[in-house]
DNA sequence: TCCTCTAGCACTTTTGAATCGT
DNA sequence: AACGATTCAAAAGTGCTAGAGG
């Protein structure tokens, strides 16, 4: 695995200020990524998003859906998503709230989900929403399907990488930009802990319609075993708390009013957010108890995101902060400044695109990609990068492997990374890049943060 | 005993092949 | 023969539940 230090030399040192401001011919406006369904994400985030992980793999809900702008129309890009641990802790659900339950388990093999359209022209990415619907999460460390492997009862958030690269083989030498959205952080679970989350999922996920009260599944609900209900009644935070959901004290004072008419309340809640920012995270209760101060449980989620080092943390996954900020903007205020017309979360990067990389042949994105050249159909590299094993044998799927100088054996299709011990420790370079990222002094709003660094300083390769 | 995880269930949506009509 | 619309079954995606296992 190539160290960050090595990459640094290839990258000619810290990101020069000129990269941001230099009169490069390919200095494009800015890459902007916005999160769709922001309100929905926020609704979940207020309560404390949980994502089910299963052995065969489970989709996320809400699923990640973003919009991109500011790309070079005729240059090719690759979009990637990976999951980053929020901190170095394991959590447990106890009495209506999440509590730290110990140190995190060793990080499972790192995997990155490649958007199946990758690589595609900038125009392709910008003409429509980019959905990561088929991204799946698993807790099976031996997973052969290329799903993203997570630990249950640990917190993560997705990172979106935009890489300007003609193909997957050149990704390695490419510079990419990374975006994160605070609203998308979640706790991986094998079974829902918070009934409010369950209800939200049922209410919003079409596949769960059958569990809605007004749905057709009355028979099933009517047949619930009374004994079972009684048993579950003894458990805190389980189903039968429906009646007290909206009034349960000490639970982040959620604005969740129960799930009747939930959708209709979204707009209303949006306004309320502007006032009650402290309830924005269900981790607030823990903060009050002083359980922990440098985990999300103990710190304002906003702050975490505004100070977080986007370069992967060391094995312990302690948030590595190269830069300390003052109190980050309140969710409400920053929301207002970052929500686009459609109410999306967004973050705008103003770093020049990869074309400004001195080592990058800036002439390449030129005519060779532009002009009458038809937009290539989505090249299904999913068989290579993500759905590897599952699809490798299918017709029409490119079945080659990606070359890896670090492992001639391992099919890089899985983007599997080294064991946790191989994660690089905090490195000056990472700090450099973070500094670079934050030195632009953007108003990050409440949502996105980006960084730009040589690809796969992370563990995937 | 508690907590976490898993398998099977009933339900829904999605997908793709087959059929039909123009 | 080609194309589009419709139908239908299979596949896939949900949360629920009981029970296993550490």
């Amino acid at each position: 695995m190539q160290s960050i230090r090595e990459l640094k030399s290839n990258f000619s040192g810290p990101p020069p200020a000129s990269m941001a401001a230099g009169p490069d011919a390919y200095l494009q406006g800015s890459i902007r990524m916005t999160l769709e369904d922001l309100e929905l994400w926020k609704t979940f985030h207020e309560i404390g998003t949980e994502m089910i992980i299963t052995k065969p793999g489970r989709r996320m809900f809400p699923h990640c859906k973003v919009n991109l702008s500011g790309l070079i129309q005729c240059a090719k890009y690759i979009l990637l998503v990976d999951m980053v641990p929020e901190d170095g802790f394991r959590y447990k659900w106890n009495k209506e709230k999440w509590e730290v339950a110990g140190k995190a388990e060793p990080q499972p093999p790192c995997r990155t989900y490649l958007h199946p359209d990758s690589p595609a022209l900038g125009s392709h990415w910008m003409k429509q929403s980019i959905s990561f619907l088929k991204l799946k999460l698993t807790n099976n460390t031996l997973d052969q399907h290329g799903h993203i492997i997570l630990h249950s009862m640990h917190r993560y958030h997705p990172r979106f990488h935009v890489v300007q690269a003609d193909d997957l083989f050149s990704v390695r030498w490419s510079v990419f930009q990374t975006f994160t959205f605070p609203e998308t952080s979640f706790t991986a679970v094998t079974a829902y802990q918070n009934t409010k989350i369950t209800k939200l999922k049922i209410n919003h996920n079409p596949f769960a319609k059958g569990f809605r009260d007004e749905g057709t599944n009355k028979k099933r609900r009517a047949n619930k075993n009374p004994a079972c209900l009684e048993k579950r009644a003894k458990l805190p935070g389980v189903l039968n708390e429906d009646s007290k959901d909206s009034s349960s004290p000490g639970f982040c004072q959620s604005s969740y009013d129960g799930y009747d008419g939930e959708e209709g309340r979204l707009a209303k809640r949006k306004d309320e957010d502007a006032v009650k920012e402290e309830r924005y995270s269900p981790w607030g209760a823990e903060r009050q108890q002083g359980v922990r101060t440098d985990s999300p449980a103990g710190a304002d989620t906003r702050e975490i995101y505004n100070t977080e080092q986007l370069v992967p943390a060391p094995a312990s996954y302690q948030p590595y902060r190269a830069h300390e900020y003052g109190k980050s903007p309140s969710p409400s205020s920053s929301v207002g400044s970052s929500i686009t017309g459609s109410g999306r979360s967004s973050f705008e990067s103003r770093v020049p695109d990869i074309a400004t990389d001195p080592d990058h042949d800036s002439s390449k994105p030129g005519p060779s990609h532009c002009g009458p050249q038809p937009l290539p159909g989505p090249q299904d590299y999913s068989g290579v990068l993500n759905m590897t094993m599952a699809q490798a044998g299918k017709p029409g799927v490119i079945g080659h492997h990606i070359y890896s100088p670090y492992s001639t054996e391992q099919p890089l299709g899985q983007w599997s990374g080294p064991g946790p011990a191989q994660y690089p420790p905090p490195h000056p370079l990472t700090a450099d890049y973070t500094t670079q990222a934050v030195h632009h002094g953007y108003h990050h709003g409440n949502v996105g943060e980006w960084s730009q660094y040589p690809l796969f300083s992370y563990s995937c390769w």
Side-chain angles (χ1 to χ4, degrees), chain A residues 52-120:
Chain A
I52 292 282
I53 56 176
T54 64
K55 227 172 174 180
R58 193 81 147 189
R59 286 185 182 177
M60 297 175 70
F61 186 87
H63 71 271
C64 297
K65 195 175 181 183
V66 300
N67 285 278
L68 269 176
S69 61
L71 303 178
I72 300 173
Q73 294 264 349
C74 52
K76 282 185 178 178
Y77 294 86
I78 288 170
L79 262 63
L80 307 161
V81 176
D82 59 7
M83 296 292 167
V84 187
E86 291 262 323
D87 50 50
F89 298 95
R90 176 189 177 90
Y91 293 87
K92 66 176 178 182
W93 178 253
N94 186 26
K95 295 176 183 175
E96 296 289 300
K97 63 180 187 296
W98 287 100
E99 292 178 349
V100 172
K103 290 182 66 176
E105 296 178 29
Q107 173 68 357
C110 165
R111 287 184 178 172
T112 300
Y113 176 81
L114 173 80
H115 192 284
D117 286 1
S118 301

Side-chain angles (χ1 to χ4, degrees), chain A residues 122-135:
Chain A
S123 57
H124 173 76
W125 294 119
M126 292 188 291
K127 76 181 179 187
Q128 64 204 357
S129 298
I130 305 160
S131 172
F132 294 89
L133 176 69
K134 296 192 175 179
L135 185 160

Side-chain angles (χ1 to χ4, degrees), chain A residues 182-379:
Chain A
E183 289 81 4
T184 57
S185 66
F186 63 88
T187 305
V189 296
T190 54
Y192 289 125
Q193 307 294 309
N194 187 344
T195 55
K196 296 184 178 74
I197 288 296
T198 308
K199 290 174 183 173
L200 270 182
K201 299 252 184 178
I202 290 173
N203 259 4
H204 291 91
N205 192 331
F207 285 104
K209 267 185 179 175
F211 299 103
R212 296 177 188 174
D213 276 349
E214 70 276 18
T216 59
N217 200 12
K218 291 170 182 168
K219 174 185 169 186
R220 184 189 185 94
R221 289 178 172 270
N223 287 342
K224 275 182 183 174
N225 185 348
C228 174
L229 286 175
E230 189 175 346
K231 174 187 173 185
R232 293 177 72 85
K234 297 174 184 174
L235 302 174
V238 187
L239 276 176
N240 60 341
E241 297 195 352
D242 297 5
S243 59
K244 61 175 180 180
D245 270 347
S246 58
S247 59
S248 71
F251 183 78
C252 76
Q253 300 177 8
S254 169
S255 62
Y256 185 73
D257 293 323
Y259 86 142
D260 288 337
E262 167 24 13
E263 292 185 51
R265 291 186 226 276
L266 285 177
K268 179 185 173 185
R269 185 179 301 109
K270 185 179 177 180
D271 295 335
E272 293 172 351
D273 284 342
V275 183
K276 303 175 182 178
E277 69 180 80
E278 66 272 21
R279 71 156 197 242
Y280 195 74
S281 167
W283 306 86
E286 196 166 325
R287 178 172 60 240
Q288 293 169 1
Q289 296 177 359
V291 172
R292 164 112 197 127
T293 56
D294 59 348
S295 78
D300 189 317
T301 307
R302 294 287 135 202
E303 189 175 357
I304 287 293
Y305 275 91
N306 283 332
T307 59
E308 179 191 5
Q309 166 72 277
L310 280 177
V311 177
S316 68
Y317 291 107
Q318 292 284 356
Y320 180 68
R321 302 181 186 185
H323 223 73
E324 280 297 328
Y325 296 90
K327 188 78 176 178
S328 54
S330 72
S332 52
S333 61
S334 49
V335 163
S337 64
S338 61
I339 291 179
T340 57
S342 58
R344 294 168 185 165
S345 168
S346 73
F347 180 74
E348 183 172 355
S349 163
R350 296 187 186 279
V351 229
D353 202 62
I354 184 174
T356 61
D357 182 347
D359 292 331
H360 184 83
D361 184 357
S362 59
S363 64
K364 282 182 180 175
S368 65
H369 299 295
C370 298
Q373 179 183 19
L375 177 68
Q379 300 179 36

Side-chain angles (χ1 to χ4, degrees), chain A residues 102-172:
Chain A
K103 290 182 66 176
E105 296 178 29
Q107 173 68 357
C110 165
R111 287 184 178 172
T112 300
Y113 176 81
L114 173 80
H115 192 284
D117 286 1
S118 301
L121 300 179
S123 57
H124 173 76
W125 294 119
M126 292 188 291
K127 76 181 179 187
Q128 64 204 357
S129 298
I130 305 160
S131 172
F132 294 89
L133 176 69
K134 296 192 175 179
L135 185 160
K136 284 187 175 180
L137 309 176
T138 182
N139 57 349
N140 181 12
T141 54
L142 302 176
D143 173 74
Q144 296 290 299
H145 298 91
H147 303 325
I148 293 181
I149 304 169
L150 304 178
H151 279 313
S152 179
M153 314 307 274
H154 288 59
R155 301 200 72 217
Y156 299 89
H157 69 263
R159 292 190 311 187
F160 302 87
H161 307 287
V162 180
V163 189
Q164 185 179 334
D166 283 348
D167 53 55
L168 294 172
F169 301 96
S170 58
V171 163
R172 182 175 175 75

